[in-house]
Amino acid sequence: MFEKKILNTILTAAVFVMTSGSTLADSITVYSPQGEENVAWISQQAEAAGHEVEFLRAGGGELFSRLEAEKNNPQADVVLGLNDTAMARLKFQEMFQKHIPVWADGLPNVYKGRDGMVHKFWQTPVVIAYNPDKLTPETAPKSWLDLVKPEFKGKYVLGPTKWGTTQVLLSGMLMRFADADGNVSDEGWDFMNTFYANSASVNNGGDKVNLFKQGDAFIDLSWFGGTFREAAKAGYVPTLVNSEGGTPFVAEGIAIMAGSDQAEDAKKFVDWFGAPDVMAAYAEKFGQMPAHPDAIALSPAEVQEQTGLVDPQLINWDVVAAKLDSWLQKIELEIK
Amino acid sequence: MTFTSSTQNGRLERIAFFSGIILLLWFLFTFLVLPLLTTFQVAFFSSGEFRLAEITADLSASSRVKKALLNTAWMTLATTVTVGIVGIFQVAVLEYFHVKGRTFLKVAFAIPLVFGSVVAATGYKFTYGPAGVVTQLLQRYFPAIESDWFIGGHGVLYSQTFLLTSFYYLFLRAAMRRVDYSTVEAARSLGASEFTILRRVVLPVIMPTLFAVMLLTIYTSTVSFAVPEIIGGRDFVMISQIILVLNSLGRPDMAAFLALFLGLFIMSMILLMQWIEAKGSYVGGSKTPVPIKLKRVKSPLTNIVLHGIAYLLAGVYILPVFLIMAFSFAPAESIGTEVFPSSFTLSNYASVFSGGTATGPFFNSIRMGLLAIVIGLSATLFAVPIMVKYNNWLTRLLDIGFFLPWIVPSVLLAIGLIVTFDTANPLVANQVLLGTFLILPIAYTIHVLPLMVRFLRAAFMGIDPSLEEAARSMGANGIYRFRRVILPLVIPTVVLAAGYTFNEILTEYPLSAFLYNVNNRPISIAILDSDKSTNLEQAAITLVYAVLIMAFSMAVILFAERLSLGKGPKTNSL
């Protein structure tokens, strides 16, 4: 009796598992680390424009490792939104194919390579911002290098090294101490030691917001949009620092996988996605700054105002891409 | 009924047996050994040559690696002791002493079974962490307390003490049921003190299980990741965290090397566990134990203390879960600002269900979990009796094979699986498994195999061999004997194992992140998506997911537990 019941359960389960098949027509698969709301918006707009797209989302780090592991048989058709270094490293591994989208015309050279594989569609500075209730322009840090001063101890927050933002700001600082090949001087590593020792650290976004909310921290190192979003949650309006020596800008790119079996559809999607009107609509929705000048011109005023708020630090991302892992390894094993 | 038909039966049975063996060996080789070898091959040789000297030099130069090893060692030692004390106390309360409100305590103590990994660690931080409720309350009365008082090694130890008691709850209670009450009564009537009875009658029966459970705790604490990651803070790092960081920094070789180092330790634990188990299986008490009658504590003071501790413990278990439930019904703004929600709403639940974002992944996870459990049970129900019955080098090898998934971190295993099955593989009929629905359920199966074997070994070890001999002497064939004699005896454990591992699958993250595709996005990915966002609305939605999973898992566990252990002992009415 009892035994029969168990057997029945198992059989029902088996039937249930087998009969519920998968449905995948001929939509293209896009790997993206974008936030849930952003992806929802993009898929909606893409569908309205006649593109069949399925998004697969995961953290930037996992997505990158996954793409590397799947190298022999790529499951993605398009990679959308990994940052400069990650895109450069995938490109070096010959994982992308050439496609020059229609919107590449007029895109500044820093946002596209000569090989025509990766094109950047939006950009954002990783800034220093502070809570004006706690600091004044006189007492606030003037540059990234000021953060190691004793008065800022514990007042700025670092996320884990797997966060894209953390990687960008560390790269920006180390590149100030690096030669043309990306070899960092001893002085640079001494600085990094103090920089870490002086920081508060968290491993998720919620904890970070809490530190600001409670007033324990008041200097935010974050990407532009994130700074304002987090500050709103913590209850203040941030003031930006135009750092001496420049502020690192990070740009996110789009590329088509070399092994894509739906390259034609993928190309159409890329052509559509980066077009100035779509980028401008995205900028309006999420307040993010497009890379394309035409898209910036179409964007709402508050997005346009963002350009020129901080001066860019010129960084050769190809050099960073080659060095980043060894830098992070040193930080993780010897500094943290 | 003739002579010939029975030999024919015998031949069929032999054919079935050997086909089963071949199928099993194919399965283990294809899905366990090969991906694992691939993992190490990719890790050590993908960059050209194996740089052993560089790896060991870099690792041994790192103060952080040394600290992590040291932390892991003392945390494991301390956890084993504290978990042992709490676990044994629970079993005593549930299975030996008469305590009022046993059903309530049983549900409270079952919480770690459904509240594990990331969800649980987050729950503890939510309760005791910097913005936590307990912290806010403490600060109200003792303003000097730092808001991060809980973060660090002591917080990890505290959390692990209450989160790792599941094995005691599952195994040690079952072992207590094998204690023969007539022996207890006999000893009592001969004037033995209660302490002597515990030491001389009860302890010998449960000793092998106790050891096995302790070793499982050692294993779990050694590879602990979620709790130190979330509660350890920057100064308390354990070795699993270092392994994952190294892997994400493009140093899979260093990660795999550390994992192998850890794996050797874990393997020796497993071998020790099996040796103890094999030695202890003959201790088994009575064949038909008279169920224990719960003992009433005579001294009123002792009784009050006993009840006090039991209910305090239940409170510790319930608090984080209760807070998560309460805040899942609260407006998002109250999270982290209020000690207890001042108003309640259903909008978080509404947004989870109306968006349809919950139901899809939840259904996917259930589907894949069921498939993994059916495959896993088929393999282990066939293999474990053979491994228990025949003791030779082949079965011992088989046994170790099942535990291989425990010596590599899931992230590395996922990469191994991708690389093994990314092209047409002759072992799976020249199919490409990567990108299919099946690869994730297969990974889940691998993930739960060691625990299943662990569970089933204990069950099969407990079967009296004379039962099967009796059936055989009466002419029952092998399949009949298995179906009608053996299976009914192990079904309780099978159900419990299925329930427990199913819950593990629901919250599995690393394998899921690497192997899911757009058609089978599992619930753990959906949760993490919302957890990573700094959006407060999302924080509330994470709590909703946590509550849904816990409710579902609790139903599974209580159902399995009822099937397997029944209602439990009665109180001694004398």
Side-chain angles (χ1 to χ4, degrees):
Chain A
M1 239 305 260
F2 181 62
E3 189 195 326
K4 246 187 199 157
K5 242 193 247 166
I6 301 275
L7 201 68
N8 272 336
T9 319
I10 292 175
L11 284 179
T12 324
V15 170
F16 166 66
V17 165
M18 295 309 161
T19 49
S20 40
S22 58
T23 48
L24 181 61
D26 34 13
S27 40
I28 57 170
T29 303
V30 180
Y31 278 22
S32 173
Q34 297 297 317
E36 192 159 23
E37 312 94 77
N38 309 44
V39 162
W41 185 86
I42 298 171
S43 354
Q44 222 172 30
Q45 301 292 314
E47 201 179 325
H51 301 278
E52 285 190 39
V53 186
E54 290 276 4
F55 273 87
L56 188 143
R57 313 199 315 97
E62 276 113 16
L63 215 55
F64 179 80
S65 305
R66 191 175 158 150
L67 281 161
E68 269 189 327
E70 292 177 351
K71 196 178 167 192
N72 297 329
N73 182 5
Q75 300 297 300
D77 297 299
V78 173
V79 179
L80 183 158
L82 287 177
N83 64 20
D84 306 84
T85 44
M87 289 306 256
R89 285 159 69 191
L90 292 174
K91 185 180 77 182
F92 292 152
Q93 297 187 50
E94 294 168 358
M95 291 177 64
F96 297 143
Q97 59 174 282
K98 186 175 172 175
H99 170 62
I100 298 177
V102 289
W103 43 273
D105 248 5
L107 188 69
N109 278 332
V110 285
Y111 298 127
K112 58 185 180 193
R114 275 198 209 98
D115 38 36
M117 291 186 182
V118 180
H119 294 81
K120 315 280 168 69
F121 48 85
W122 63 62
Q123 51 166 337
T124 181
V126 172
V127 295
I128 308 173
Y130 60 88
N131 180 347
D133 305 338
K134 307 272 185 168
L135 287 175
T136 64
E138 286 71 42
T139 56
K142 310 276 180 301
S143 145
W144 290 91
L145 300 183
D146 287 347
L147 290 168
V148 296
K149 288 183 175 167
E151 64 261 37
F152 302 129
K153 190 171 171 59
K155 304 307 175 204
Y156 60 94
V157 185
L158 269 183
T161 53
K162 66 181 177 203
W163 282 7
T165 303
T166 312
Q167 294 183 0
V168 169
L169 66 92
L170 293 175
S171 304
M173 283 186 283
L174 286 172
M175 282 302 269
R176 289 168 184 249
F177 297 96
D179 61 18
D181 297 326
N183 298 309
V184 175
S185 64
D186 288 347
E187 193 197 346
W189 288 116
D190 287 344
F191 169 81
M192 196 46 77
N193 258 317
T194 329
F195 177 72
Y196 257 91
N198 249 4
S199 69
S201 83
V202 294
N203 54 18
N204 69 67
D207 282 1
K208 188 177 170 189
V209 172
N210 277 332
L211 283 176
F212 284 91
K213 210 186 218 171
Q214 291 160 355
D216 293 339
F218 41 76
I219 301 172
D220 189 20
L221 315 176
S222 191
W223 62 279
F224 187 85
T227 288
F228 286 90
R229 210 166 64 188
E230 285 166 21
K233 263 173 244 160
Y236 67 94
V237 180
T239 308
L240 295 188
V241 174
N242 186 8
S243 171
E244 289 161 15
T247 294
F249 271 66
V250 62
E252 293 177 348
I254 190 166
I256 300 173
M257 299 294 289
S260 169
D261 48 6
Q262 280 159 292
E264 287 316 307
D265 289 338
K267 285 174 184 169
K268 281 182 203 144
F269 171 71
V270 171
D271 283 349
W272 166 80
F273 178 71
D277 55 326
V278 179
M279 284 294 105
Y282 185 92
E284 183 163 1
K285 174 89 182 161
F286 295 104
Q288 192 141 354
M289 200 186 341
H292 203 293
D294 296 354
I296 296 178
L298 291 172
S299 296
E302 63 268 25
V303 172
Q304 292 192 25
E305 280 163 17
Q306 292 173 23
T307 52
L309 280 180
V310 290
D311 302 321
Q313 174 189 5
L314 292 176
I315 293 174
N316 183 345
W317 289 107
D318 283 356
V319 172
V320 174
K323 286 287 177 187
L324 185 61
D325 272 349
S326 65
W327 290 345
L328 295 178
Q329 183 188 324
K330 194 175 167 81
I331 288 170
E332 283 289 346
L333 292 184
E334 293 165 33
I335 291 181
K336 245 174 133 175
Chain B
M1 269 292 112
T2 61
F3 186 68
T4 44
S5 81
S6 93
T7 49
Q8 220 165 25
N9 257 345
R11 195 181 304 145
L12 275 179
E13 207 175 279
R14 257 202 306 276
I15 293 172
F17 179 77
F18 282 109
S19 328
I21 294 272
I22 289 169
L23 200 66
L24 179 70
L25 291 180
W26 164 81
F27 179 81
L28 290 183
F29 181 77
T30 311
F31 297 116
L32 272 181
V33 178
L34 203 58
L36 225 71
L37 289 178
T38 315
T39 301
F40 287 113
Q41 199 246 329
V42 170
F44 290 132
F45 298 103
S46 64
S47 59
E49 80 270 55
F50 182 26
R51 296 172 294 179
L52 181 66
E54 193 200 314
I55 294 172
T56 46
D58 276 9
L59 285 178
S60 55
S62 162
S63 57
R64 200 142 170 265
V65 170
K66 272 182 226 151
K67 217 159 103 187
L69 280 172
L70 201 69
N71 284 340
T72 309
W74 83 253
M75 181 54 65
T76 300
L77 210 69
T79 303
T80 311
V81 174
T82 55
V83 168
I85 293 169
V86 175
I88 290 172
F89 178 78
Q90 283 180 3
V91 176
V93 165
L94 294 181
E95 302 289 327
Y96 194 76
F97 292 112
H98 172 83
V99 174
K100 289 203 177 71
R102 246 185 79 236
T103 314
F104 166 75
L105 291 175
K106 199 160 80 178
V107 175
F109 296 160
I111 283 173
L113 275 80
V114 301
F115 187 57
S117 177
V118 181
V119 180
T122 314
Y124 272 72
K125 202 182 77 188
F126 191 67
T127 312
Y128 303 98
V133 175
V134 170
T135 306
Q136 291 187 42
L137 273 178
L138 282 175
Q139 281 177 330
R140 195 170 291 177
Y141 300 104
F142 310 97
I145 287 177
E146 302 264 342
S147 59
D148 62 350
W149 67 282
F150 190 69
I151 301 302
H154 53 283
V156 175
L157 179 60
Y158 179 89
S159 312
Q160 294 208 137
T161 298
F162 302 109
L163 287 175
L164 299 187
T165 50
S166 331
F167 295 123
Y168 283 82
Y169 183 89
L170 288 174
F171 292 119
L172 200 63
R173 278 177 63 217
M176 276 299 276
R177 298 283 169 90
R178 291 202 292 272
V179 174
D180 182 20
Y181 191 63
S182 57
T183 319
V184 174
E185 275 191 316
R188 213 169 265 160
S189 70
L190 289 171
S193 72
E194 284 306 314
F195 181 70
T196 313
I197 292 175
L198 274 180
R199 199 165 57 88
R200 303 290 293 273
V201 180
V202 178
L203 206 57
V205 178
I206 63 170
M207 207 55 183
T209 313
L210 191 58
F211 266 116
V213 168
M214 273 175 143
L215 289 169
L216 272 177
T217 314
I218 293 178
Y219 162 74
T220 323
S221 170
T222 309
V223 299
S224 178
F225 172 76
V227 176
E229 176 78 6
I230 292 171
I231 294 170
R234 80 198 277 177
D235 293 326
F236 189 84
V237 180
M238 285 174 76
I239 202 71
S240 293
Q241 293 169 274
I242 299 275
I243 292 177
L244 285 191
V245 165
L246 284 170
N247 187 56
S248 72
L249 295 183
R251 289 311 297 266
D253 51 348
M254 289 168 95
F257 184 83
L258 267 184
L260 262 184
F261 180 78
L262 206 63
L264 282 181
F265 172 73
I266 290 164
M267 256 314 152
S268 58
M269 283 293 131
I270 293 165
L271 291 175
L272 184 65
M273 184 150 57
Q274 277 160 8
W275 180 72
I276 290 171
E277 197 174 46
K279 232 180 84 182
S281 67
Y282 305 105
V283 180
S286 159
K287 286 199 176 59
T288 50
V290 177
I292 277 196
K293 294 231 171 79
L294 298 174
K295 176 156 179 51
R296 281 182 201 280
V297 177
K298 296 246 167 59
S299 144
L301 186 67
T302 321
N303 202 10
I304 289 170
V305 171
L306 180 73
H307 277 78
I309 297 178
Y311 278 90
L312 187 68
L313 192 60
V316 169
Y317 275 101
I318 290 171
L319 184 63
V321 177
F322 173 69
L323 287 173
I324 286 180
M325 280 169 69
F327 277 98
S328 76
F329 287 101
E333 311 82 69
S334 71
I335 297 170
T337 51
E338 288 184 322
V339 173
F340 195 76
S342 52
S343 63
F344 292 94
T345 163
L346 280 174
S347 71
N348 301 332
Y349 283 82
S351 65
V352 164
F353 284 108
S354 67
T357 47
T359 42
F362 204 63
F363 183 73
N364 285 337
S365 280
I366 290 179
R367 204 163 66 149
M368 291 188 283
L370 282 178
L371 187 57
I373 278 162
V374 170
I375 303 174
L377 281 181
S378 318
T380 49
L381 271 177
F382 177 74
V384 171
I386 297 173
M387 297 190 304
V388 170
K389 196 164 163 194
Y390 305 100
N391 190 8
N392 55 43
W393 65 270
L394 196 70
T395 54
R396 271 195 295 264
L397 205 65
L398 196 64
D399 208 347
I400 292 178
F402 274 113
F403 285 98
L404 286 178
W406 272 2
I407 67 164
V408 279
S410 302
V411 176
L412 292 179
L413 184 67
I415 292 172
L417 279 166
I418 290 177
V419 177
T420 311
F421 299 112
D422 63 359
T423 42
N425 189 324
L427 281 166
V428 287
N430 271 332
Q431 296 295 305
V432 179
L433 289 187
L434 179 64
T436 64
F437 168 82
L438 268 182
I439 194 162
L440 189 51
I442 288 173
Y444 286 158
T445 311
I446 298 170
H447 177 67
V448 297
L449 272 181
L451 257 179
M452 277 190 174
V453 171
R454 207 37 260 151
F455 272 95
L456 291 187
R457 258 187 92 88
F460 278 96
M461 281 278 185
I463 295 177
D464 187 341
S466 60
L467 286 175
E468 205 190 347
E469 275 157 31
R472 188 206 299 272
S473 72
M474 288 193 268
N477 68 32
I479 293 169
Y480 186 89
R481 288 199 304 275
F482 184 76
R483 211 161 58 82
R484 301 304 294 268
V485 179
I486 307 292
L487 207 55
L489 288 171
V490 294
I491 272 290
T493 315
V494 172
V495 176
L496 211 53
Y500 185 70
T501 47
F502 183 73
N503 292 344
E504 287 266 292
I505 290 173
L506 280 186
T507 49
E508 200 290 331
Y509 176 71
L511 291 170
S512 311
F514 276 81
L515 298 171
Y516 89 94
N517 65 40
V518 291
N519 289 313
N520 61 359
R521 178 162 172 259
I523 187 82
S524 51
I525 298 289
I527 295 181
L528 193 95
D529 275 353
S530 47
D531 189 44
K532 266 173 46 182
S533 168
T534 47
N535 188 346
L536 266 184
E537 303 293 326
Q538 290 291 343
I541 288 180
T542 308
L543 297 183
V544 174
Y545 276 126
V547 170
L548 292 179
I549 288 191
M550 279 192 289
F552 182 80
S553 303
M554 192 52 121
V556 171
I557 285 294
L558 289 181
F559 172 73
E561 145 73 60
R562 187 62 186 266
L563 276 183
S564 61
L565 288 178
K567 281 183 111 165
K570 304 258 181 310
T571 303
N572 187 349
S573 48
L574 296 174

